Amino acid sequence: MNDSIKFLLSEKEIPHTWYNIAADLKTPPPTVLHPGTFEPIGPADLAPIFTDAIIAQEVSTERDIPIPGEVREIYKQWRPSPLYRARRLEKALDTPARIYYKNEGVSPAGSHKLNSAIAQAYYNKAAGVKLLITETGAGQWGSSLALACNMFNLACEVYMVKVSYNQKPYRRALMQTYGAKVTASPSDQTAAGREILAQDPNSNGSLGIAISEAVEEATQHPDSKYALGSVLNHVLLHQTVIGMEAIKQMELAGDEPDVVVACTGGGSNFAGMVFPFIGRQLQGGRKLRALAVEPDACPSLTRGKYAYDFGDTAHLTPLVKMHTLGSTFMPRGFHSGGLRYHGMAPLVSHVVEQGLAEAIGVPQLEAFAAGVQFARAEGIVPAPEANHAVAGAIREALRCKESGKSETILFNLSGHGHFDMPAYIDYFAGNLIDYAHPEEEIAMALAGLPPIPAQK
Amino acid sequence: MNDSIKFLLSEKEIPHTWYNIAADLKTPPPTVLHPGTFEPIGPADLAPIFTDAIIAQEVSTERDIPIPGEVREIYKQWRPSPLYRARRLEKALDTPARIYYKNEGVSPAGSHKLNSAIAQAYYNKAAGVKLLITETGAGQWGSSLALACNMFNLACEVYMVKVSYNQKPYRRALMQTYGAKVTASPSDQTAAGREILAQDPNSNGSLGIAISEAVEEATQHPDSKYALGSVLNHVLLHQTVIGMEAIKQMELAGDEPDVVVACTGGGSNFAGMVFPFIGRQLQGGRKLRALAVEPDACPSLTRGKYAYDFGDTAHLTPLVKMHTLGSTFMPRGFHSGGLRYHGMAPLVSHVVEQGLAEAIGVPQLEAFAAGVQFARAEGIVPAPEANHAVAGAIREALRCKESGKSETILFNLSGHGHFDMPAYIDYFAGNLIDYAHPEEEIAMALAGLPPIPAQK
């Protein structure tokens, strides 16, 4: 075993293709349905908001999707991201386990989100698009798309949930530094926004409203398209560079993970890290456990239902089969904006249903305690979302300690927390609580699921 | 020439020694004087606040000072830091020059300051110290010492200038995440603080007051020492890993700098980057220009006097010969807390006096414009201090464009700006101004220089 702390690859070792797990799944994931007819949708239905190249990736069953040269060129700015052996954390936990983490926080925008943002900006630029429009909650996706658009000389507009817009001026300033136009949502710039403001002029906004505004505006201009930062197949695909690099880096380390851990909100950083490992297993390679860690406060995989549901609260998006808490589910105030989503990426849900991955929920205070322990040992302050992955890895390491097993744990540190310090401030001040939703509340949101004919 | 974007070294290539420029200077720097007697001081005079190992480094004339194994082990967490070719910036500037930068912002605390913090924590731990006390203005030094102390299981107390304490809650939270006790200065915990508060209960504090509080408290406890983040020889020494790595990385790139650029506040990141290059030149190697870039609003090198002065406003520190604006000089509101120092590291001043380095002053708005241009090209948002280095490098690149010269420019990106976004917010809002002090104001501050007998 290699006694280094970090395992670096050269620029030349950035993968030349993304890995598409759809090629290796025995059972294909369920069809996507039209929100009006409940009939399967085709590529044409997505054309108003996505370019052809992105739609092609969304439905592809090819295993290896080439990464365009211009995308790889920009990836070189921070990729391959380093993989670390967390020796100081192991020591602090007094565990016989070996803990490794992939650090996606080295991306200039601060998280894994940039992997897909660069690809999406590239394909839209190539298709002659002039303006990309998106929404952002926590701000990691918005920052990434802002930078990506700037690099491809595309205009960028970000609808930022108003409560975040006001609470996170640093994040907003970052998007402005990258040249994006940032609008607090709900706004008076769209019909959807004006309708909400007419009902409640003081609305704090929500991700659902921001999506509606972004989608509406993207369809208004001939040269503009919409961009999404998680959930869909093409976004997950772009993130697989994480796991592909990690496989090579674990070889460098002379070690192999028994369990791979990542947090799940929409599912893209989890998929990016674990799909290449699961794919290797499906192709006859080494077996391992893939562990999704979600917040107890938004437990789609652990307490949701695997059912057809809308992706947004306004019910404009197609219907996808996924683990969902119901599109009317409102997660209670907790500090991981990136994990506040009622559903789960259909491909991640499918992989869990196929028994290829497992999921746990973690309370908020455990996640922050884990993040602080990690920061004190390794120096890096994780994003609140990434704290869930840290908590999952620490649970595994403590299980190893109890059982005396010397297993290998690998987790994805999806981003740094430099723009999320108010969450840490609240944590230290004792202002954070653990909140698990009562069964009745989840049941009520699930009762609102759309009535899909049984055969679909 | 290598066509890569970034040039990485392995952990094994972290230097085993720091480079001490004192060994290669033809003329030794002027003696340090006692603040009371104006007589040369000896190591014993520094013993109340520094450990023996640090004092030995302060006065050493050995060229190569060994880096302890434990310090190298922790350096591996982020060192060797990457060196980049700024291809996108070159393109944006349309310059024939090749621009490279060393990224010290990858340190977990966010800047080069951690290089010395780890070393100082190590030597203090080895000497049996239990508590390290320091002051911080912008917060980069405080964050670094907080993390370093935590890694060596030392307690850490940081006196943070009250105006920064209130304006920079993210930075404060980072220090708390690392386990440090952070106190707004002036405080009621020291005689110095209480005296200020008695005169002005609403005092915003200053670096000078915070130094007084930290030094006072460090001398009160038998097991505590003081730590300083710049100016002194041993701090500059610890930073030389930057330039030593950069020399190897420029070899990897197959290129050689014609000019090396860094910003100067106290002088440590400048010295860390350029001293190894100047040393190589003094030993008969390749000649180059070393360019110090300071803010126009605090222009010690460009408008100060080379004279003996106190390091602090309260006149408790030894007297050193340096470029100074006078210890009563008050820089006007500008957004680079790390560059608000009336003096300059004596070794940097000496090197400038010997004709081995040159200096320019840059207005604040030019520095921020440069930082934004850099962020949009390279993705990384620089700290406001580092923006001065970027501005200096851009001036050089534009000079090359004008003259059609294809020179090689290397600069030190000393830290990222993630915790300094309020400065960018003010910049975008048009709230920043350029302020150059009138001659009379500087002359008045210089009139207060201590009356040193001429032969000293």
Side-chain angles (χ1 to χ4, degrees):
Chain A
M1 213 160 301
N2 189 316
D3 66 355
S4 294
I5 282 184
K6 55 187 182 312
F7 302 94
L8 305 176
L9 300 172
S10 74
E11 291 174 11
K12 291 188 174 55
E13 293 169 284
I14 295 173
H16 284 78
T17 54
W18 289 298
Y19 168 67
N20 182 8
I21 199 170
D24 287 316
L25 291 170
K26 278 175 209 152
T27 320
T31 323
V32 175
L33 305 181
H34 191 281
T37 63
F38 294 174
E39 291 299 320
I41 65 163
D45 293 302
L46 297 171
I49 53 172
F50 295 124
T51 64
D52 293 348
I54 284 175
I55 295 169
Q57 292 185 345
E58 186 65 22
V59 299
S60 172
T61 52
E62 293 290 316
R63 181 183 284 159
D64 301 308
I65 311 283
I67 302 178
E70 279 190 66
V71 172
R72 277 188 90 244
E73 201 55 35
I74 295 182
Y75 277 178
K76 290 181 184 173
Q77 211 78 16
W78 76 101
R79 304 212 69 84
S81 67
L83 185 139
Y84 287 84
R85 170 92 183 263
R87 290 182 185 275
R88 296 180 59 91
L89 180 63
E90 291 169 14
K91 205 172 161 191
L93 295 169
D94 188 25
T95 175
R98 290 178 299 282
I99 307 175
Y100 296 84
Y101 59 97
K102 179 84 167 157
N103 185 7
E104 288 293 307
V106 299
S107 121
S111 80
H112 70 292
K113 295 284 186 191
L114 194 56
N115 297 326
S116 185
I118 296 291
Q120 293 190 44
Y122 168 80
Y123 289 117
N124 278 283
K125 180 71 178 185
V129 171
K130 303 268 186 262
L131 165 68
L132 269 184
I133 304 171
T134 197
E135 73 289 324
T136 201
Q140 294 199 327
W141 170 244
S143 315
S144 295
L145 196 70
L147 176 57
C149 284
N150 169 70
M151 286 187 156
F152 284 101
N153 202 20
L154 285 169
C156 181
E157 282 186 34
V158 182
Y159 285 90
M160 187 173 189
V161 177
K162 195 182 275 173
V163 61
S164 297
Y165 183 93
N166 291 328
Q167 281 176 356
K168 293 194 158 190
Y170 282 33
R171 187 56 90 171
R172 185 173 13 124
L174 180 62
M175 291 185 259
Q176 288 167 337
T177 302
Y178 291 149
K181 180 184 164 198
V182 186
T183 304
S185 167
S187 77
D188 60 5
Q189 293 181 30
T190 66
R194 286 189 294 271
E195 192 174 327
I196 299 286
L197 288 174
Q199 291 164 22
D200 177 9
N202 298 318
S203 167
N204 270 328
S206 74
L207 208 49
I209 297 168
I211 293 178
S212 303
E213 292 203 78
V215 169
E216 179 189 325
E217 197 180 336
T219 55
Q220 301 291 310
H221 310 289
D223 290 342
S224 67
K225 293 285 178 192
Y226 172 70
L228 189 70
S230 191
V231 179
L232 294 180
N233 301 350
H234 69 277
V235 188
L236 274 52
L237 176 76
H238 301 152
Q239 296 297 347
T240 55
V241 285
I242 303 171
M244 294 171 79
E245 289 175 4
I247 286 175
K248 286 191 200 172
Q249 288 165 310
M250 289 303 299
E251 278 168 23
L252 269 186
D255 208 347
E256 274 293 350
D258 296 297
V259 54
V260 183
V261 183
C263 65
T264 44
S268 79
N269 105 79
F270 177 78
M273 180 56 137
V274 310
F275 280 7
F277 283 99
I278 293 177
R280 193 175 62 167
Q281 174 181 328
L282 290 170
Q283 292 162 41
R286 198 170 188 279
K287 280 197 167 186
L288 47 71
R289 289 169 55 225
L291 181 62
V293 187
E294 62 183 12
D296 258 359
C298 196
S300 55
L301 281 170
T302 52
R303 295 176 68 195
K305 190 173 166 183
Y306 186 55
Y308 272 104
D309 198 3
F310 294 97
D312 68 332
T313 43
H315 296 187
L316 299 169
T317 69
L319 288 155
V320 292
K321 197 161 184 184
M322 60 181 175
H323 290 90
T324 179
L325 295 157
S327 62
T328 59
F329 181 82
M330 282 299 286
R332 297 285 159 77
F334 73 109
H335 265 298
S336 291
L339 307 183
R340 296 170 66 91
Y341 185 62
H342 68 276
M344 181 50 56
L347 264 180
V348 170
S349 286
H350 184 65
V351 158
V352 169
E353 284 298 306
Q354 299 286 305
L356 296 167
E358 53 194 278
I360 56 169
V362 157
Q364 166 161 260
L365 292 176
E366 180 182 339
F368 273 90
V372 170
Q373 184 168 32
F374 180 82
R376 291 186 180 175
E378 301 290 316
I380 303 166
V381 179
E385 293 80 10
N387 281 345
H388 292 78
V390 179
I394 288 179
R395 278 198 192 180
E396 290 293 315
L398 295 178
R399 176 185 56 73
C400 288
K401 182 180 178 179
E402 219 163 275
S403 63
K405 279 189 193 161
S406 175
E407 292 185 17
T408 300
I409 301 161
L410 166 64
F411 74 92
N412 193 22
L413 192 76
S414 50
H416 64 63
H418 302 169
F419 296 99
D420 307 294
M421 296 310 290
Y424 284 88
I425 293 172
D426 277 352
Y427 173 68
F428 288 123
N431 293 337
L432 298 189
I433 55 154
D434 284 338
Y435 179 79
H437 295 263
E439 278 305 332
E440 316 84 71
E441 194 177 322
I442 292 180
M444 209 160 68
L446 287 173
L449 287 177
I452 309 293
Q455 69 276 18
K456 303 286 176 178
Chain B
M1 215 160 298
N2 190 317
D3 65 355
S4 294
I5 282 182
K6 53 187 183 312
F7 303 93
L8 304 176
L9 300 173
S10 74
E11 291 174 13
K12 291 188 173 57
E13 292 169 283
I14 295 172
H16 285 79
T17 53
W18 289 297
Y19 168 67
N20 182 7
I21 199 169
D24 287 316
L25 291 170
K26 279 174 209 150
T27 320
T31 323
V32 176
L33 305 181
H34 191 281
T37 63
F38 294 174
E39 291 299 321
I41 63 164
D45 293 301
L46 297 171
I49 54 171
F50 295 124
T51 63
D52 292 349
I54 284 176
I55 296 169
Q57 292 185 344
E58 188 62 23
V59 299
S60 172
T61 53
E62 293 291 317
R63 180 182 287 161
D64 302 308
I65 311 283
I67 303 178
E70 278 188 67
V71 172
R72 277 189 91 245
E73 199 56 33
I74 295 182
Y75 277 176
K76 290 182 184 174
Q77 210 80 15
W78 77 100
R79 303 212 71 83
S81 67
L83 184 138
Y84 287 83
R85 170 91 183 264
R87 291 183 185 273
R88 297 180 57 91
L89 180 63
E90 290 170 15
K91 205 172 161 190
L93 295 168
D94 188 25
T95 174
R98 290 178 299 283
I99 307 175
Y100 297 83
Y101 59 97
K102 179 87 168 155
N103 185 6
E104 288 294 306
V106 299
S107 120
S111 80
H112 70 291
K113 293 286 184 189
L114 194 56
N115 297 328
S116 184
I118 296 289
Q120 293 191 43
Y122 167 80
Y123 289 117
N124 278 285
K125 179 73 179 186
V129 171
K130 304 268 185 264
L131 165 68
L132 268 184
I133 305 172
T134 196
E135 72 288 325
T136 201
Q140 294 198 329
W141 170 245
S143 313
S144 295
L145 195 70
L147 175 56
C149 284
N150 170 69
M151 286 186 157
F152 284 101
N153 203 20
L154 284 168
C156 181
E157 282 186 34
V158 182
Y159 285 90
M160 187 173 189
V161 177
K162 195 183 276 174
V163 61
S164 298
Y165 183 93
N166 291 328
Q167 282 175 354
K168 295 194 158 191
Y170 283 32
R171 189 55 90 172
R172 186 176 9 127
L174 180 63
M175 291 186 259
Q176 288 167 336
T177 301
Y178 291 148
K181 180 183 165 199
V182 185
T183 304
S185 166
S187 76
D188 59 5
Q189 293 180 30
T190 65
R194 285 188 295 271
E195 192 174 326
I196 299 287
L197 288 173
Q199 290 163 24
D200 177 8
N202 299 317
S203 166
N204 270 329
S206 74
L207 207 51
I209 297 168
I211 293 177
S212 303
E213 291 204 77
V215 169
E216 179 188 323
E217 198 180 335
T219 54
Q220 300 292 309
H221 310 288
D223 290 341
S224 67
K225 292 285 178 195
Y226 172 70
L228 189 69
S230 191
V231 180
L232 295 180
N233 301 349
H234 68 276
V235 186
L236 275 52
L237 175 77
H238 301 152
Q239 296 297 348
T240 55
V241 285
I242 302 172
M244 294 172 78
E245 289 175 3
I247 287 175
K248 286 191 200 174
Q249 288 166 310
M250 290 304 299
E251 280 169 22
L252 269 186
D255 207 346
E256 274 293 349
D258 297 297
V259 54
V260 183
V261 183
C263 65
T264 42
S268 79
N269 105 80
F270 177 78
M273 180 55 137
V274 310
F275 280 7
F277 284 97
I278 294 178
R280 194 176 59 166
Q281 174 180 331
L282 290 170
Q283 292 160 41
R286 198 170 187 279
K287 278 198 169 186
L288 46 72
R289 290 169 54 224
L291 180 62
V293 188
E294 62 183 13
D296 257 359
C298 197
S300 55
L301 281 169
T302 52
R303 296 177 67 195
K305 189 173 169 184
Y306 186 54
Y308 272 102
D309 198 4
F310 294 96
D312 67 333
T313 43
H315 297 187
L316 299 167
T317 68
L319 287 156
V320 292
K321 196 161 185 185
M322 60 181 173
H323 291 90
T324 179
L325 294 158
S327 62
T328 58
F329 180 82
M330 281 301 283
R332 296 285 158 78
F334 73 109
H335 264 297
S336 292
L339 306 183
R340 296 170 66 90
Y341 185 62
H342 69 276
M344 182 48 57
L347 263 179
V348 170
S349 287
H350 184 66
V351 159
V352 169
E353 284 298 307
Q354 299 286 304
L356 296 166
E358 53 194 279
I360 57 169
V362 157
Q364 166 160 262
L365 292 176
E366 180 183 339
F368 273 90
V372 170
Q373 183 167 33
F374 180 83
R376 290 186 181 175
E378 301 289 316
I380 302 165
V381 179
E385 293 80 10
N387 282 345
H388 292 77
V390 179
I394 289 179
R395 278 198 192 183
E396 289 294 315
L398 294 178
R399 178 185 55 73
C400 288
K401 182 180 176 178
E402 219 164 275
S403 63
K405 279 190 194 160
S406 176
E407 292 187 16
T408 299
I409 301 161
L410 166 64
F411 74 91
N412 193 22
L413 191 75
S414 51
H416 65 64
H418 301 171
F419 296 99
D420 307 294
M421 295 310 289
Y424 284 88
I425 293 171
D426 277 353
Y427 173 69
F428 288 123
N431 293 337
L432 297 189
I433 55 155
D434 283 336
Y435 179 80
H437 295 264
E439 279 305 330
E440 317 82 73
E441 195 177 321
I442 293 179
M444 209 161 67
L446 287 173
L449 287 177
I452 311 291
Q455 69 276 18
K456 303 285 176 178

